[in-house]
Structures are given as structure tokens and as C-alpha cells.
Amino acid sequence: MNLTIITKSPEETKKLGEEVGKLTKPGDLLAFYGELGAGKTCFIQGISHNLEVKDYVTSPSFTIINEYQGKVPIYHFDLFRLNNVEEISELGYEEYFHGDALTVIEWAGKIEHFLPKEHLKIDIKFKDRYQRTISFIPQGDRFDKFLKELSRIENFRN
């Protein structure tokens, strides 16, 4: 079951991120897709807010990975500047992808074949200046159940 939700402002995108954050568990991996400026970081800020991260969450474009502490540790990857897939191997990605933290990856399309079987694809597209079409594509049983829970949230039924 795929799920598509339209948000009408950056604040709504962030609020949807907070709702997604409520459903995440340690060990989950969320793979983000979308053009530059589509709202991937904004969405991740919402997730982080829900998980009580005190730091300001920004796109880690120059460091590739930021680690945040909250109720659950968050590993935030931004692969925009990744030049070749060998770089991800050098980072020791397995430790991040298979640990007890929540892993969120911006520009996940660059390393799709490295992603674990169980993950959630989140594709954010521009609808207009403020609105975004956010598609959730589950990879595995864990995220099929995840999306059933997410689809029950009243505020985001389109």
C-alpha cells in the first residue's frame, strides 16, 4: 500500500514529519527523494522535533552525516555532494543502517542498492510554490504496517 499526502505549507510538511516521527522505531531507515528545495530537510526537522532533538537540524551537505541525540539517536545523511558510491562504503554505512538509531537519508537514490530491504521511501515533489506531494512507498512488512497507521491520521487525509 502506497500513501500520498499533499501538504500546503512548509509548516504542514514539518507537522507531517512530526507524525511520521511518532511512528518510527530504533533501527528504521527513511530514504528521501526529491529535488533541491522540495522539503526533505523540513520534513526531517519535524521528525527530529518529535524525537526531542535539541540541536537545530540542518542539511549536512558538507559533512555527509550529522548525528543528533534525542529520545532515539538520529543519523542524518545528505548525499547531495556524494561523488561516487565508493564513498558510502568508506563511511562504514553498515554500522549506521543496522543500528539502534533512526537513519534518515536525503538523496537516497544515489545509493539505492546499499539500502536494506526494509525501509520507507519518501518522495517529495513540488506541486506549486508552497504545496508538496509526498509519496510514501513501503519496502517490507514493517513499513506496510507503518503506512496503515499513518493513513489513520485525520489531519492529513487529502
Side-chain angles (χ1 to χ4, degrees), residues 5-23:
I5 295 174
I6 296 171
T7 60
K8 296 173 178 60
S9 67
E11 294 77 26
E12 262 191 37
T13 300
K14 193 172 183 177
K15 183 72 177 152
L16 180 57
E18 289 178 22
E19 295 298 332
V20 166
K22 291 177 186 175
L23 299 173

PDB file of all heavy atoms in Angstrom, residues 5-23:
ATOM      1  N   ILE A   5       0.265  12.118   0.331  1.00  0.00           N
ATOM      2  CA  ILE A   5      -0.313  13.209   1.114  1.00  0.00           C
ATOM      3  C   ILE A   5       0.168  14.528   0.518  1.00  0.00           C
ATOM      4  O   ILE A   5       1.344  14.661   0.164  1.00  0.00           O
ATOM      5  CB  ILE A   5       0.110  13.098   2.598  1.00  0.00           C
ATOM      6  CG1 ILE A   5      -0.481  11.822   3.212  1.00  0.00           C
ATOM      7  CG2 ILE A   5      -0.307  14.333   3.391  1.00  0.00           C
ATOM      8  CD1 ILE A   5      -0.016  11.525   4.622  1.00  0.00           C
ATOM      9  N   ILE A   6      -0.736  15.493   0.419  1.00  0.00           N
ATOM     10  CA  ILE A   6      -0.367  16.821  -0.055  1.00  0.00           C
ATOM     11  C   ILE A   6      -0.314  17.755   1.144  1.00  0.00           C
ATOM     12  O   ILE A   6      -1.261  17.827   1.928  1.00  0.00           O
ATOM     13  CB  ILE A   6      -1.382  17.346  -1.095  1.00  0.00           C
ATOM     14  CG1 ILE A   6      -1.351  16.447  -2.330  1.00  0.00           C
ATOM     15  CG2 ILE A   6      -1.073  18.800  -1.472  1.00  0.00           C
ATOM     16  CD1 ILE A   6      -2.437  16.724  -3.342  1.00  0.00           C
ATOM     17  N   THR A   7       0.819  18.434   1.294  1.00  0.00           N
ATOM     18  CA  THR A   7       0.930  19.462   2.331  1.00  0.00           C
ATOM     19  C   THR A   7       0.863  20.820   1.651  1.00  0.00           C
ATOM     20  O   THR A   7       1.287  20.974   0.500  1.00  0.00           O
ATOM     21  CB  THR A   7       2.228  19.322   3.148  1.00  0.00           C
ATOM     22  OG1 THR A   7       3.363  19.434   2.284  1.00  0.00           O
ATOM     23  CG2 THR A   7       2.277  17.982   3.874  1.00  0.00           C
ATOM     24  N   LYS A   8       0.325  21.793   2.372  1.00  0.00           N
ATOM     25  CA  LYS A   8       0.058  23.095   1.770  1.00  0.00           C
ATOM     26  C   LYS A   8       1.017  24.197   2.210  1.00  0.00           C
ATOM     27  O   LYS A   8       0.881  25.342   1.803  1.00  0.00           O
ATOM     28  CB  LYS A   8      -1.383  23.495   2.076  1.00  0.00           C
ATOM     29  CG  LYS A   8      -2.386  22.543   1.429  1.00  0.00           C
ATOM     30  CD  LYS A   8      -3.807  22.824   1.870  1.00  0.00           C
ATOM     31  CE  LYS A   8      -4.800  21.918   1.197  1.00  0.00           C
ATOM     32  NZ  LYS A   8      -4.633  20.520   1.426  1.00  0.00           N
ATOM     33  N   SER A   9       1.992  23.849   3.049  1.00  0.00           N
ATOM     34  CA  SER A   9       2.956  24.850   3.536  1.00  0.00           C
ATOM     35  C   SER A   9       4.155  24.117   4.140  1.00  0.00           C
ATOM     36  O   SER A   9       4.059  22.935   4.481  1.00  0.00           O
ATOM     37  CB  SER A   9       2.307  25.729   4.605  1.00  0.00           C
ATOM     38  OG  SER A   9       2.021  24.953   5.760  1.00  0.00           O
ATOM     39  N   PRO A  10       5.276  24.827   4.315  1.00  0.00           N
ATOM     40  CA  PRO A  10       6.412  24.206   4.999  1.00  0.00           C
ATOM     41  C   PRO A  10       6.029  23.755   6.416  1.00  0.00           C
ATOM     42  O   PRO A  10       6.485  22.706   6.875  1.00  0.00           O
ATOM     43  CB  PRO A  10       7.466  25.312   5.032  1.00  0.00           C
ATOM     44  CG  PRO A  10       7.134  26.181   3.868  1.00  0.00           C
ATOM     45  CD  PRO A  10       5.629  26.149   3.770  1.00  0.00           C
ATOM     46  N   GLU A  11       5.158  24.513   7.077  1.00  0.00           N
ATOM     47  CA  GLU A  11       4.739  24.142   8.440  1.00  0.00           C
ATOM     48  C   GLU A  11       3.977  22.817   8.432  1.00  0.00           C
ATOM     49  O   GLU A  11       4.164  21.996   9.322  1.00  0.00           O
ATOM     50  CB  GLU A  11       3.867  25.258   9.045  1.00  0.00           C
ATOM     51  CG  GLU A  11       4.604  26.572   9.287  1.00  0.00           C
ATOM     52  CD  GLU A  11       4.833  27.408   8.025  1.00  0.00           C
ATOM     53  OE1 GLU A  11       4.059  27.274   7.048  1.00  0.00           O
ATOM     54  OE2 GLU A  11       5.806  28.179   8.016  1.00  0.00           O
ATOM     55  N   GLU A  12       3.129  22.622   7.417  1.00  0.00           N
ATOM     56  CA  GLU A  12       2.403  21.350   7.305  1.00  0.00           C
ATOM     57  C   GLU A  12       3.351  20.201   6.994  1.00  0.00           C
ATOM     58  O   GLU A  12       3.169  19.090   7.480  1.00  0.00           O
ATOM     59  CB  GLU A  12       1.319  21.430   6.223  1.00  0.00           C
ATOM     60  CG  GLU A  12      -0.039  21.696   6.759  1.00  0.00           C
ATOM     61  CD  GLU A  12      -1.136  21.505   5.711  1.00  0.00           C
ATOM     62  OE1 GLU A  12      -1.057  20.595   4.858  1.00  0.00           O
ATOM     63  OE2 GLU A  12      -2.087  22.297   5.773  1.00  0.00           O
ATOM     64  N   THR A  13       4.347  20.459   6.159  1.00  0.00           N
ATOM     65  CA  THR A  13       5.340  19.427   5.845  1.00  0.00           C
ATOM     66  C   THR A  13       6.077  19.019   7.115  1.00  0.00           C
ATOM     67  O   THR A  13       6.269  17.830   7.389  1.00  0.00           O
ATOM     68  CB  THR A  13       6.324  19.927   4.765  1.00  0.00           C
ATOM     69  OG1 THR A  13       5.578  20.236   3.578  1.00  0.00           O
ATOM     70  CG2 THR A  13       7.388  18.887   4.449  1.00  0.00           C
ATOM     71  N   LYS A  14       6.456  20.006   7.907  1.00  0.00           N
ATOM     72  CA  LYS A  14       7.142  19.732   9.175  1.00  0.00           C
ATOM     73  C   LYS A  14       6.224  18.973  10.132  1.00  0.00           C
ATOM     74  O   LYS A  14       6.645  18.022  10.789  1.00  0.00           O
ATOM     75  CB  LYS A  14       7.599  21.051   9.798  1.00  0.00           C
ATOM     76  CG  LYS A  14       8.571  20.894  10.928  1.00  0.00           C
ATOM     77  CD  LYS A  14       9.116  22.266  11.336  1.00  0.00           C
ATOM     78  CE  LYS A  14      10.147  22.135  12.412  1.00  0.00           C
ATOM     79  NZ  LYS A  14      10.728  23.432  12.767  1.00  0.00           N
ATOM     80  N   LYS A  15       4.947  19.345  10.184  1.00  0.00           N
ATOM     81  CA  LYS A  15       3.970  18.674  11.051  1.00  0.00           C
ATOM     82  C   LYS A  15       3.790  17.219  10.619  1.00  0.00           C
ATOM     83  O   LYS A  15       3.697  16.325  11.462  1.00  0.00           O
ATOM     84  CB  LYS A  15       2.630  19.430  11.012  1.00  0.00           C
ATOM     85  CG  LYS A  15       1.593  18.861  11.920  1.00  0.00           C
ATOM     86  CD  LYS A  15       1.906  19.145  13.365  1.00  0.00           C
ATOM     87  CE  LYS A  15       0.792  18.616  14.253  1.00  0.00           C
ATOM     88  NZ  LYS A  15       1.268  18.258  15.578  1.00  0.00           N
ATOM     89  N   LEU A  16       3.762  16.972   9.325  1.00  0.00           N
ATOM     90  CA  LEU A  16       3.684  15.594   8.837  1.00  0.00           C
ATOM     91  C   LEU A  16       4.927  14.823   9.280  1.00  0.00           C
ATOM     92  O   LEU A  16       4.834  13.667   9.691  1.00  0.00           O
ATOM     93  CB  LEU A  16       3.529  15.569   7.321  1.00  0.00           C
ATOM     94  CG  LEU A  16       3.446  14.186   6.675  1.00  0.00           C
ATOM     95  CD1 LEU A  16       2.303  13.354   7.245  1.00  0.00           C
ATOM     96  CD2 LEU A  16       3.308  14.325   5.159  1.00  0.00           C
ATOM     97  N   GLY A  17       6.085  15.473   9.224  1.00  0.00           N
ATOM     98  CA  GLY A  17       7.313  14.849   9.721  1.00  0.00           C
ATOM     99  C   GLY A  17       7.190  14.463  11.188  1.00  0.00           C
ATOM    100  O   GLY A  17       7.634  13.389  11.604  1.00  0.00           O
ATOM    101  N   GLU A  18       6.562  15.333  11.988  1.00  0.00           N
ATOM    102  CA  GLU A  18       6.353  15.020  13.410  1.00  0.00           C
ATOM    103  C   GLU A  18       5.490  13.773  13.567  1.00  0.00           C
ATOM    104  O   GLU A  18       5.772  12.911  14.408  1.00  0.00           O
ATOM    105  CB  GLU A  18       5.693  16.205  14.124  1.00  0.00           C
ATOM    106  CG  GLU A  18       6.609  17.389  14.302  1.00  0.00           C
ATOM    107  CD  GLU A  18       5.924  18.574  14.964  1.00  0.00           C
ATOM    108  OE1 GLU A  18       4.900  18.385  15.654  1.00  0.00           O
ATOM    109  OE2 GLU A  18       6.424  19.702  14.784  1.00  0.00           O
ATOM    110  N   GLU A  19       4.441  13.667  12.752  1.00  0.00           N
ATOM    111  CA  GLU A  19       3.561  12.484  12.821  1.00  0.00           C
ATOM    112  C   GLU A  19       4.320  11.220  12.420  1.00  0.00           C
ATOM    113  O   GLU A  19       4.167  10.173  13.040  1.00  0.00           O
ATOM    114  CB  GLU A  19       2.324  12.678  11.938  1.00  0.00           C
ATOM    115  CG  GLU A  19       1.409  13.788  12.397  1.00  0.00           C
ATOM    116  CD  GLU A  19       0.811  13.563  13.782  1.00  0.00           C
ATOM    117  OE1 GLU A  19       0.641  12.400  14.197  1.00  0.00           O
ATOM    118  OE2 GLU A  19       0.515  14.560  14.467  1.00  0.00           O
ATOM    119  N   VAL A  20       5.150  11.327  11.405  1.00  0.00           N
ATOM    120  CA  VAL A  20       5.977  10.186  10.993  1.00  0.00           C
ATOM    121  C   VAL A  20       6.945   9.822  12.118  1.00  0.00           C
ATOM    122  O   VAL A  20       7.132   8.645  12.437  1.00  0.00           O
ATOM    123  CB  VAL A  20       6.708  10.491   9.664  1.00  0.00           C
ATOM    124  CG1 VAL A  20       7.817   9.477   9.396  1.00  0.00           C
ATOM    125  CG2 VAL A  20       5.707  10.513   8.518  1.00  0.00           C
ATOM    126  N   GLY A  21       7.519  10.853  12.759  1.00  0.00           N
ATOM    127  CA  GLY A  21       8.437  10.616  13.875  1.00  0.00           C
ATOM    128  C   GLY A  21       7.796   9.810  14.998  1.00  0.00           C
ATOM    129  O   GLY A  21       8.451   8.989  15.638  1.00  0.00           O
ATOM    130  N   LYS A  22       6.509  10.022  15.239  1.00  0.00           N
ATOM    131  CA  LYS A  22       5.799   9.282  16.289  1.00  0.00           C
ATOM    132  C   LYS A  22       5.735   7.784  16.000  1.00  0.00           C
ATOM    133  O   LYS A  22       5.632   6.975  16.914  1.00  0.00           O
ATOM    134  CB  LYS A  22       4.360   9.801  16.441  1.00  0.00           C
ATOM    135  CG  LYS A  22       4.258  11.183  17.018  1.00  0.00           C
ATOM    136  CD  LYS A  22       2.800  11.632  17.050  1.00  0.00           C
ATOM    137  CE  LYS A  22       2.686  13.077  17.487  1.00  0.00           C
ATOM    138  NZ  LYS A  22       1.288  13.564  17.419  1.00  0.00           N
ATOM    139  N   LEU A  23       5.784   7.431  14.720  1.00  0.00           N
ATOM    140  CA  LEU A  23       5.633   6.024  14.319  1.00  0.00           C
ATOM    141  C   LEU A  23       6.964   5.298  14.123  1.00  0.00           C
ATOM    142  O   LEU A  23       6.985   4.092  13.958  1.00  0.00           O
ATOM    143  CB  LEU A  23       4.819   5.948  13.022  1.00  0.00           C
ATOM    144  CG  LEU A  23       3.400   6.511  13.092  1.00  0.00           C
ATOM    145  CD1 LEU A  23       2.773   6.531  11.698  1.00  0.00           C
ATOM    146  CD2 LEU A  23       2.542   5.729  14.064  1.00  0.00           C
TER     147      LEU A  23
END
